[in-house]
Amino acid sequence: MADAMPLGEKRRRLEDEVDTAYFEKYDSAFVHEEMLRDGVRCKAYADAIAACQAITGGGVVIEVGAGSGILSCLCAKAGARKVYAVEASAPTAKLCREVVRANKCEDVVEVLEMRLEDVELPEGVRVDAIVSEWMGYFLFYESMLDSVIFARDRWLKPGGCLLPSRAKLFLQPFSDARWRDLRAKHLSDVCGIDVSPLAARLAAEEASEPAIQGIESEHLFGEPRQILDMDLATVSLAEFSSSIQLPMAIWERPRLVHSSSNGQSMPVHGFAGWFEVTFNPPAPPAWSLAQLLGAPSLAARFAAPSTGPSEAPSEAHVVPRRVVLSTAPGQPRTCWHQTLFYLPSGALEVSSSDQLEAEVSLNRPAENRRWLSVSIRWTHVTPAGAKVSKPAVSWLLRSYAEAATRAPPLPVPRLRGTSRAACYGGAC
Amino acid sequence: MADAMPLGEKRRRLEDEVDTAYFEKYDSAFVHEEMLRDGVRCKAYADAIAACQAITGGGVVIEVGAGSGILSCLCAKAGARKVYAVEASAPTAKLCREVVRANKCEDVVEVLEMRLEDVELPEGVRVDAIVSEWMGYFLFYESMLDSVIFARDRWLKPGGCLLPSRAKLFLQPFSDARWRDLRAKHLSDVCGIDVSPLAARLAAEEASEPAIQGIESEHLFGEPRQILDMDLATVSLAEFSSSIQLPMAIWERPRLVHSSSNGQSMPVHGFAGWFEVTFNPPAPPAWSLAQLLGAPSLAARFAAPSTGPSEAPSEAHVVPRRVVLSTAPGQPRTCWHQTLFYLPSGALEVSSSDQLEAEVSLNRPAENRRWLSVSIRWTHVTPAGAKVSKPAVSWLLRSYAEAATRAPPLPVPRLRGTSRAACYGGAC
């Protein structure tokens, strides 16, 4: 049936609805509290702002998605001459103004209650720095990066400062064996009844969407693989309009990181993902510059699969003008936790003489561009060279509330090894 | 504008939609796992079934809302001749059948995949026992009790056994002072920025709906007050069709349960509610029988305000044929936690020479009869007799997911006193 509304208009309306729902999420005071309770996050930004001469030297700053206004106030207190705090959620913009007043920053910080894309700065104004905490689960969920790029292209002075300035994505296989064993043991005897048929459904449900959850290093296999290294100064909006293919991550002789079972076959239950952002990085290394020249797509900018963060996070708060905010397992926990992609096909048995390969692609679903579809295709290579490939599987990150709260609400967290045992057994 | 659909039909359709959404909730394997991980819950039912002669003596049983089928299997293993396991969610009924087979109970347990109200038992069949785990948050959320009453009126033999057979509701004021102090201290200095304006919004949001959350005994004032004592054998469906007025709970000389600050003024931040169900109770005491005679409404059946559970839960697993499942603070934690009703008007300062009164009424909202609206009206009486009454405030329990996960998702639980301090400070 013909529809009177032109397609462009329909798309715009859908996008408006998506944005309204997105901004309303931040109406919740609890969401802001959660972010403010994340000391790792707050301290990384505070340190980065204090170390940014483009701000401390009396610069003009725009903050994309100011929220409670804490970063804008930090900029003002650090010496910024002017800060435009852009916040589209009305109750949040009100909160932001109150916080600005409470910190006596109203002479410097101007709260602009609107979408970033609707902002009109005074004629000719260019900014020295753009500050934004735009990162979502698995980095890209929520797609707030678009607005940062928009602001950069429109207002940032050549050579201006971006906080953060660089983002990396990591992937690493994990085993859920210890938790599954505990679960299986419990389900086989709940007050004398065998409820084992539930186990397969639990596994299927686990694989049905990404889990936002902390994972301990001891459950990880092999080494973390960097699958993206993105320079915020040069990344383009066009690169996010469709699918992003990330380069293959390869684990040779994968082993559990902390395990005495080397040489044995171990079950891989999925891939854990996380990100790291860098503030005020030094000049990019030679390989990256070479890749940037003439590279039309984001995929071409990736580091070759390497092991782990290229800079040790432990140095981060020592070296001036270098701050790293890492959401890696083993690092202090953040509100992003880690993102777990459980394999729907069940465990993949890998021995330490095998090789495991994974290819990742990211998509923004048409029905909601703030969601994130993550597809992973993995291949298992035996020492004899036999390859077993699986068709790509897609997981959809789509609901903040669902994603953040998927783990059973009982007190003992999942994937926490020994501590979980206390919750099971005994009671019956 | 006139509507072609008759009102009765509209209401029926709405109820069907509500039920479909309700049953779909139980499609989730995680929901079943959560219930099976609650050892207090499972053991109470296992003990009650094992102690119920109407079941162990070869009786016929109907289970209302069988879920994973564990209770039906327990009945079969305990000696039931026949168990009708009624389960309306299709995937759950399938799971239930698998569990029944895994426990070799298929000769005894028949899974009926339908709404309880649609069940047709063979002509003339009456049951010796009805088993159901129908309790929701603050006892009544989800309204599954209706189906239990329906089953009782239709199929239970005179003098037949109901598991559970009795339910009580309790209320007690609480103070959130320690947590609020920690929060205020943190918000006043997040990396050097004062984010205090967020505090009032957080308090408002806390009061906007009931919180499903554990509370420690040390945060409670005075004594628990029993506000409902319901005999499942006699309670009628009609009593739930509209508002239920519960009798006034009175705290004289309210004091924090575990506090050295006796005599000082203390802030009441809200009321904590929980329930207790009893299985196989002895004959009701004389006062209750007297109240039952000629009492047309549920309100008339309540115990006069009394202190705490009328039977000590510690006796529960010692006395044969008496099992108590308590969700009280201080008892082992259950999947129901406690239900906290935060006062929207801010703290109520009460000294230990004052008296505090609260009146509660329960409502089933027309738009969704499985939701629960809880209204509380409280009065503060000073020693001189001055009364300060507040208009009744209503809280709506409406979303399982929201209700269960309202607390910030960071690791340290709220309302846990000292342990929460670890999450705050230090990081910045």
Side-chain angles (χ1 to χ4, degrees):
Chain A
M1 225 165 25
D3 193 322
M5 201 190 293
L7 205 66
E9 172 67 5
K10 272 179 86 168
R11 189 175 305 125
R12 218 161 17 247
R13 283 212 191 171
L14 175 64
E15 289 187 0
D16 282 352
E17 276 169 30
V18 164
D19 278 354
T20 301
Y22 173 68
F23 297 134
E24 275 175 2
K25 183 185 101 180
Y26 288 97
D27 291 356
S28 161
F30 285 132
V31 171
H32 294 288
E33 187 184 36
E34 188 199 347
M35 296 189 286
L36 293 170
R37 284 176 74 185
D38 182 344
V40 176
R41 170 188 175 277
C42 295
K43 182 151 174 50
Y45 275 89
D47 286 356
I49 288 167
C52 177
Q53 285 183 7
I55 297 171
T56 58
V60 177
V61 183
I62 188 163
E63 184 185 357
V64 180
S68 63
I70 178 175
L71 303 187
S72 286
C73 289
L74 281 168
C75 291
K77 297 225 180 250
R81 182 168 82 251
K82 176 76 185 181
V83 182
Y84 297 102
V86 184
E87 175 52 54
S89 152
T92 306
K94 187 163 178 283
L95 168 68
C96 188
R97 279 191 205 97
E98 290 168 17
V99 169
V100 167
R101 272 197 299 276
N103 292 278
K104 302 187 172 54
C105 294
E106 57 268 55
D107 292 343
V108 175
V109 180
E110 184 176 341
V111 179
L112 305 175
E113 183 188 324
M114 58 187 80
R115 293 169 70 240
L116 186 280
E117 290 74 10
D118 297 331
V119 167
E120 301 275 355
L121 293 190
E123 181 65 29
V125 165
R126 291 294 171 270
V127 303
D128 300 284
I130 295 175
V131 176
S132 184
E133 197 277 80
W134 54 267
M135 300 84 72
Y137 299 127
F138 203 53
L139 192 60
F140 289 110
Y141 174 62
E142 294 193 341
S143 295
M144 195 173 145
L145 179 58
D146 291 23
S147 299
V148 176
I149 296 173
F150 183 96
R152 180 201 66 193
D153 293 345
R154 190 144 184 180
W155 297 298
L156 188 64
K157 285 179 185 165
C161 175
L162 278 154
L163 298 183
S165 51
R166 191 168 166 185
K168 300 176 180 183
L169 263 181
F170 297 90
L171 207 67
Q172 192 168 1
F174 70 87
S175 172
D176 211 7
R178 205 184 299 177
W179 168 237
R180 288 189 187 219
D181 289 350
L182 270 174
R183 172 186 271 169
K185 189 166 177 288
H186 175 249
L187 292 181
S188 69
D189 179 7
V190 184
C191 297
I193 302 301
D194 179 6
V195 202
S196 303
L198 187 60
R201 285 150 202 267
L202 287 165
E205 206 160 310
E206 258 160 1
S208 68
E209 61 182 312
I212 305 300
Q213 206 169 283
I215 186 165
E216 308 279 304
S217 301
E218 69 203 77
H219 298 285
L220 295 166
F221 275 96
E223 300 290 335
R225 294 289 167 191
Q226 183 179 303
I227 55 171
L228 168 74
D229 184 358
M230 183 172 68
D231 182 354
L232 273 284
T234 54
V235 70
S236 78
L237 257 181
E239 290 169 290
F240 292 99
S241 58
S242 60
S243 173
I244 305 174
Q245 299 291 331
L246 303 183
M248 187 180 288
I250 299 173
W251 292 269
E252 292 182 63
R253 301 176 55 78
R255 279 184 294 216
L256 272 179
V257 174
H258 300 286
S259 168
S260 55
S261 65
N262 291 341
Q264 288 176 16
S265 160
M266 287 295 292
V268 173
H269 289 108
F271 296 92
W274 65 90
F275 67 85
E276 171 191 303
V277 293
T278 311
F279 301 81
N280 299 326
W287 59 258
S288 181
L289 266 176
Q291 283 195 320
L292 283 169
L293 297 171
S297 80
L298 199 65
R301 296 193 187 169
F302 304 131
S306 72
T307 60
S310 52
E311 295 85 16
S314 55
E315 291 175 27
H317 298 279
V318 184
V319 185
R321 299 181 53 77
R322 282 283 294 120
V323 176
V324 175
L325 166 52
S326 169
T327 66
Q331 294 294 319
R333 197 163 165 185
T334 72
C335 60
W336 291 279
H337 310 274
Q338 283 90 44
T339 306
L340 306 187
F341 304 96
Y342 279 85
L343 307 185
S345 50
L348 183 67
E349 289 290 335
V350 178
S351 86
S352 62
S353 53
D354 297 350
Q355 179 177 302
L356 189 62
E357 302 171 353
E359 284 176 276
V360 182
S361 65
L362 307 176
N363 273 280
R364 303 169 66 169
E367 75 255 50
N368 188 325
R369 65 195 166 81
R370 293 198 181 270
W371 291 353
L372 179 67
S373 169
V374 179
S375 297
I376 305 182
R377 183 193 173 88
W378 61 95
T379 303
H380 180 195
V381 190
T382 66
K387 282 195 173 198
V388 181
S389 290
K390 297 281 180 179
V393 173
S394 294
W395 292 263
L396 188 60
L397 258 170
R398 60 176 167 170
S399 161
Y400 173 85
E402 277 174 35
T405 59
R406 229 179 115 251
L410 275 183
V412 184
R414 294 167 56 211
L415 281 173
R416 291 228 155 225
T418 50
S419 64
R420 282 188 302 206
C423 189
Y424 269 44
C428 281
Chain B
M1 225 165 23
D3 192 322
M5 201 190 291
L7 204 66
E9 172 66 7
K10 273 179 85 169
R11 190 176 303 127
R12 219 161 16 247
R13 284 212 190 172
L14 175 64
E15 289 186 0
D16 282 352
E17 276 169 31
V18 164
D19 278 355
T20 301
Y22 173 68
F23 296 133
E24 275 175 2
K25 183 185 102 182
Y26 287 95
D27 291 356
S28 161
F30 285 133
V31 171
H32 294 289
E33 186 185 34
E34 189 200 346
M35 295 190 287
L36 293 170
R37 284 176 75 185
D38 182 343
V40 176
R41 170 188 174 277
C42 295
K43 183 152 174 50
Y45 275 88
D47 286 356
I49 288 167
C52 177
Q53 284 184 7
I55 297 172
T56 58
V60 176
V61 183
I62 189 164
E63 184 185 357
V64 180
S68 63
I70 179 177
L71 302 186
S72 286
C73 289
L74 281 168
C75 290
K77 297 226 180 248
R81 183 169 81 251
K82 177 78 185 180
V83 181
Y84 297 102
V86 184
E87 175 52 53
S89 153
T92 306
K94 188 164 177 285
L95 168 68
C96 189
R97 279 191 205 98
E98 289 168 18
V99 169
V100 167
R101 270 197 300 277
N103 291 278
K104 302 189 171 54
C105 294
E106 58 268 56
D107 291 343
V108 174
V109 181
E110 183 176 342
V111 179
L112 305 176
E113 184 187 323
M114 58 187 79
R115 294 169 70 241
L116 186 280
E117 290 74 10
D118 298 331
V119 167
E120 301 275 355
L121 293 190
E123 181 67 27
V125 165
R126 291 292 172 271
V127 303
D128 301 282
I130 295 175
V131 176
S132 183
E133 197 277 78
W134 54 267
M135 299 86 72
Y137 299 127
F138 204 53
L139 191 59
F140 290 110
Y141 174 62
E142 295 193 340
S143 296
M144 195 175 145
L145 179 59
D146 290 24
S147 299
V148 175
I149 296 173
F150 183 96
R152 179 201 67 192
D153 292 346
R154 189 144 183 178
W155 297 298
L156 188 64
K157 285 179 185 165
C161 176
L162 279 153
L163 297 184
S165 51
R166 192 168 165 185
K168 299 175 181 184
L169 264 181
F170 297 90
L171 207 69
Q172 192 167 2
F174 70 87
S175 172
D176 210 7
R178 206 185 297 176
W179 168 235
R180 290 190 185 218
D181 289 350
L182 270 174
R183 172 185 271 170
K185 189 165 175 288
H186 176 249
L187 292 181
S188 70
D189 180 7
V190 184
C191 298
I193 302 301
D194 179 6
V195 202
S196 303
L198 187 59
R201 285 150 203 267
L202 287 165
E205 207 160 308
E206 257 161 0
S208 67
E209 61 182 310
I212 305 300
Q213 205 169 282
I215 186 166
E216 308 279 303
S217 301
E218 69 203 77
H219 298 284
L220 295 165
F221 275 95
E223 300 290 334
R225 293 289 169 192
Q226 183 180 302
I227 54 171
L228 169 74
D229 184 358
M230 184 172 68
D231 183 354
L232 273 285
T234 54
V235 69
S236 79
L237 258 181
E239 289 169 291
F240 292 99
S241 59
S242 61
S243 173
I244 305 174
Q245 300 290 333
L246 303 182
M248 187 181 287
I250 299 172
W251 293 270
E252 291 182 63
R253 299 175 57 77
R255 280 185 294 214
L256 273 178
V257 173
H258 300 287
S259 169
S260 55
S261 65
N262 292 340
Q264 288 176 16
S265 159
M266 287 296 290
V268 173
H269 290 108
F271 296 92
W274 64 90
F275 68 84
E276 170 191 304
V277 292
T278 311
F279 301 81
N280 298 327
W287 60 258
S288 180
L289 267 176
Q291 283 193 322
L292 284 168
L293 298 171
S297 80
L298 198 64
R301 295 193 189 170
F302 304 130
S306 71
T307 61
S310 52
E311 294 85 16
S314 55
E315 292 175 26
H317 299 281
V318 184
V319 185
R321 299 181 54 76
R322 283 282 294 122
V323 176
V324 176
L325 166 52
S326 169
T327 66
Q331 295 293 320
R333 199 163 163 184
T334 72
C335 58
W336 290 280
H337 310 274
Q338 283 89 45
T339 307
L340 306 187
F341 305 97
Y342 280 84
L343 308 184
S345 50
L348 182 67
E349 290 290 335
V350 178
S351 85
S352 62
S353 52
D354 297 349
Q355 179 176 302
L356 188 61
E357 301 172 354
E359 284 176 276
V360 182
S361 65
L362 307 175
N363 273 281
R364 302 170 67 170
E367 75 255 49
N368 188 324
R369 66 195 166 81
R370 294 197 181 269
W371 291 354
L372 178 67
S373 169
V374 179
S375 299
I376 305 182
R377 184 194 173 88
W378 60 96
T379 302
H380 181 195
V381 189
T382 65
K387 282 195 172 198
V388 181
S389 290
K390 297 281 181 179
V393 173
S394 295
W395 291 263
L396 188 60
L397 257 170
R398 59 175 167 172
S399 161
Y400 173 85
E402 278 175 35
T405 59
R406 231 179 116 249
L410 276 183
V412 184
R414 293 168 58 212
L415 281 175
R416 292 231 153 222
T418 52
S419 64
R420 282 189 302 207
C423 187
Y424 269 42
C428 281

